Amino acid sequence: MKKLLVVSLLLVLSLVAFSRVTITMTAGAVGTELNVLYEQLDKFMRANPDIKVSVMPMPNSSTERHDLYVTYLASGEKEPTVLMLDVIWPAEFAPYLEDVTADKDYFELDKFIPGTVKSGTVNGKIVAVPWFTDAGILYYRKDLLDKYGFKNPPKTWDELVKMAQTITAKEKNMYGFVWQGARYEGLVCDFMEFLISFGGDVIDDAGNVVVNSKAGVNALQFMVDLIYKTKVSPQAVTTYMEEEARRTFQNGQAVFMRNWPYAWALVNDPKESKIAGKVGVAPLPAGPAGRSAATLGGWMLGINKNATAEEKAAAKKLVKFLTSYDQQLYKAINASQNPTMMDVYKDPELKKVAPFMVDLYGMFVNAEPRPRTAKYSEISDTMQKYIHAALTQQTTPQKAMEDMAKELTKVLAGK
Ligand code: GLC
């Protein structure tokens, strides 16, 4: 009898193993994001023993990740099954992604911040589900601002420069302001914030390239000056991505940092950070246009169109799980990545752990999108090239903007 039981149990187990579907998912690894995802996937697989999810870690640089996706998707591969997609990609990758418009209710998309759903909608079809949203924010050292008599974080870029100069003149081994100046997607995000706060833009509503304006040149000149004239930023920012800026700030080597919300979890972790508890978050300063601007970022989950029906069904369950209220809250608390579901912002636990997410909700919702077009990658590459050339003094801001505008016009015209 006992033998029979063991045999039947083994049979059941092997049947489960046999019918187990394996799907793959790409993932990034800034801050605590990858560890948090592994925890979430363990939970998902325990609740769904018939699904195995294997993670494909990706480079943190959005630009490098994009280029890998082009290779995978263009070759018609059925993997990765689930793709973590930057908000700027759905238009370009839509032809390779499963149309999930009919699953709108299953994913409860009416509970999401409308702008984030819009990022995943291409020609009326939903091809990606918003996972977390991002906006550029200013991190500052509360303790140092207090010490030097500054009651509030800077409201304008000029104020930021003055505060940074005052503090770094007295404090040893301290930079004023770190940000993302390497030649990759993050540079475009930072540039857009300066540009819009100076009153400029890249492409107007009619589709014309308007980047080469007085405001545009002044914005780029201001960025160059941060490194070579006002000298509040180290020359090394021209090689910094998000994680380099975070590590410098978290080591106590900078007064101000521009970054995304994810950095909050680690800069405040006493095991990781020299400045835990000494950090404040504010909207980025305003420029001469009298307004401040935060670039809209964030990541979505899309499903590979070439996956099998069984894999797609498993992928939908996974996407639903990861974007559910509980998992968004878990991710917000442990990886400090902003929820896309509106109600999560009302959760008292979120307010306790990441108060800035709740306090700056309006700013997150109104962040500035980058140009929405299937040609975005080419536009971004062109911008990166000229902005970086100016930041490394290969060209002047004036010439960089002229050349950038000419090339962008060609890209848009398809030449
Ligand atoms: C963040 C943003 C993403 C952006 C990237 C640039 O990951 O969420 O939208 O493109 O940073 O580095």
Side-chain angles (χ1 to χ4, degrees):
M1 182 64 190
K2 210 168 169 196
K3 215 170 174 186
L4 193 71
L5 249 173
V6 172
V7 170
S8 25
L9 191 70
L10 280 177
L11 197 72
V12 170
L13 280 178
S14 59
L15 275 178
V16 168
F18 185 68
S19 63
R20 206 173 181 206
V21 52
T22 300
I23 56 173
T24 48
M25 171 183 180
T26 57
V30 294
T32 59
E33 138 181 89
L34 190 57
N35 289 339
V36 168
L37 178 64
Y38 280 126
E39 289 161 12
Q40 293 180 302
L41 292 180
D42 274 351
K43 195 159 184 227
F44 175 74
M45 287 189 277
R46 262 183 274 123
N48 297 277
D50 55 333
I51 303 175
K52 179 171 188 280
V53 186
S54 91
V55 171
M56 291 171 75
M58 291 279 119
N60 281 335
S61 158
S62 168
T63 305
E64 280 177 45
R65 221 184 283 184
H66 168 269
D67 297 349
L68 276 176
Y69 282 15
V70 170
T71 321
Y72 295 139
L73 295 172
S75 66
E77 299 262 350
K78 68 180 189 116
E79 281 181 9
T81 331
V82 176
L83 296 121
M84 179 177 172
L85 299 162
D86 198 332
V87 286
I88 48 192
W89 300 339
E92 178 184 353
F93 291 140
Y96 308 100
L97 299 171
E98 181 73 359
D99 176 356
V100 294
T101 316
D103 303 298
K104 200 167 173 276
D105 294 338
Y106 174 67
F107 292 121
E108 299 185 280
L109 289 178
D110 55 338
K111 295 187 177 163
F112 285 61
I113 299 168
T116 65
V117 178
K118 194 169 162 205
S119 299
T121 308
V122 181
N123 299 329
K125 287 187 188 150
I126 300 170
V127 294
V129 178
W131 191 15
F132 62 92
T133 188
D134 258 342
I137 47 181
L138 182 74
Y139 290 79
Y140 63 95
R141 287 283 300 275
K142 271 191 307 199
D143 58 328
L144 291 177
L145 263 59
D146 276 354
K147 182 170 167 190
Y148 292 91
F150 301 114
K151 290 202 177 60
N152 295 302
K155 288 256 178 312
T156 64
W157 289 117
D158 286 343
E159 252 177 64
L160 177 139
V161 168
K162 275 188 206 112
M163 289 185 191
Q165 285 174 333
T166 309
I167 297 172
T168 54
K170 298 270 166 52
E171 297 286 323
K172 284 207 182 79
N173 301 325
M174 177 75 67
Y175 298 136
F177 179 37
V178 290
W179 39 282
Q180 293 74 42
R183 184 172 163 183
Y184 80 119
E185 184 58 36
L187 176 58
V188 176
C189 297
D190 288 35
F191 171 73
M192 294 276 300
E193 288 160 352
F194 288 108
L195 177 68
I196 296 175
S197 74
F198 272 68
D201 208 343
V202 182
I203 298 169
D204 69 10
D205 292 341
N208 302 310
V209 174
V210 292
V211 76
N212 184 21
S213 58
K214 186 133 197 345
V217 175
N218 289 345
L220 187 54
Q221 184 70 56
F222 182 81
M223 292 170 80
V224 171
D225 288 350
L226 286 173
I227 306 171
Y228 306 98
K229 193 171 165 201
T230 56
K231 291 189 194 273
V232 298
S233 297
Q235 215 168 326
V237 289
T238 60
T239 64
Y240 276 15
M241 296 197 288
E242 286 80 4
E243 289 288 79
E244 287 79 16
R246 173 180 66 81
R247 286 193 201 101
T248 305
F249 186 70
Q250 172 176 316
N251 274 335
Q253 291 167 325
V255 184
F256 297 108
M257 166 174 76
R258 182 271 176 213
N259 215 323
W260 310 99
Y262 85 91
W264 177 256
L266 282 171
V267 301
N268 277 312
D269 177 353
K271 287 198 283 304
E272 296 280 341
S273 165
K274 293 197 175 141
I275 52 164
K278 297 179 178 167
V279 181
V281 167
L284 289 165
R291 57 166 300 198
S292 101
T295 297
L296 175 68
W299 292 78
M300 323 195 73
L301 295 172
I303 298 172
N304 190 333
K305 216 177 179 173
N306 284 324
T308 64
E310 198 192 10
E311 289 160 350
K312 283 180 192 166
K316 279 186 193 171
K317 275 194 191 164
L318 175 63
V319 172
K320 162 95 177 157
F321 170 83
L322 289 174
T323 57
S324 65
Y325 183 104
D326 287 352
Q327 295 311 311
Q328 290 211 15
L329 180 63
Y330 186 80
K331 192 172 176 60
I333 288 173
N334 295 288
S336 58
Q337 288 175 319
N338 276 52
T340 45
M341 215 182 237
M342 291 178 281
D343 277 354
V344 185
Y345 287 87
K346 295 185 194 137
D347 200 292
E349 246 196 285
L350 184 68
K351 174 85 184 172
K352 242 191 290 159
V353 180
F356 73 90
M357 284 190 193
V358 179
D359 298 344
L360 302 182
Y361 179 72
M363 192 212 73
F364 285 109
V365 172
N366 292 311
E368 302 287 342
R370 282 159 276 173
R372 284 187 218 269
T373 141
K375 288 191 178 142
Y376 179 74
S377 292
E378 278 173 83
I379 293 177
S380 172
D381 283 346
T382 303
M383 292 176 67
Q384 292 170 33
K385 180 167 75 186
Y386 292 108
I387 302 164
H388 199 258
L391 292 185
T392 48
Q393 296 192 305
Q394 314 289 308
T395 185
T396 60
Q398 177 95 44
K399 181 88 174 55
M401 296 306 265
E402 275 169 31
D403 293 345
M404 189 196 298
K406 272 189 214 142
E407 201 169 312
L408 287 179
T409 308
K410 277 195 201 153
V411 169
L412 287 176
K415 282 181 199 146

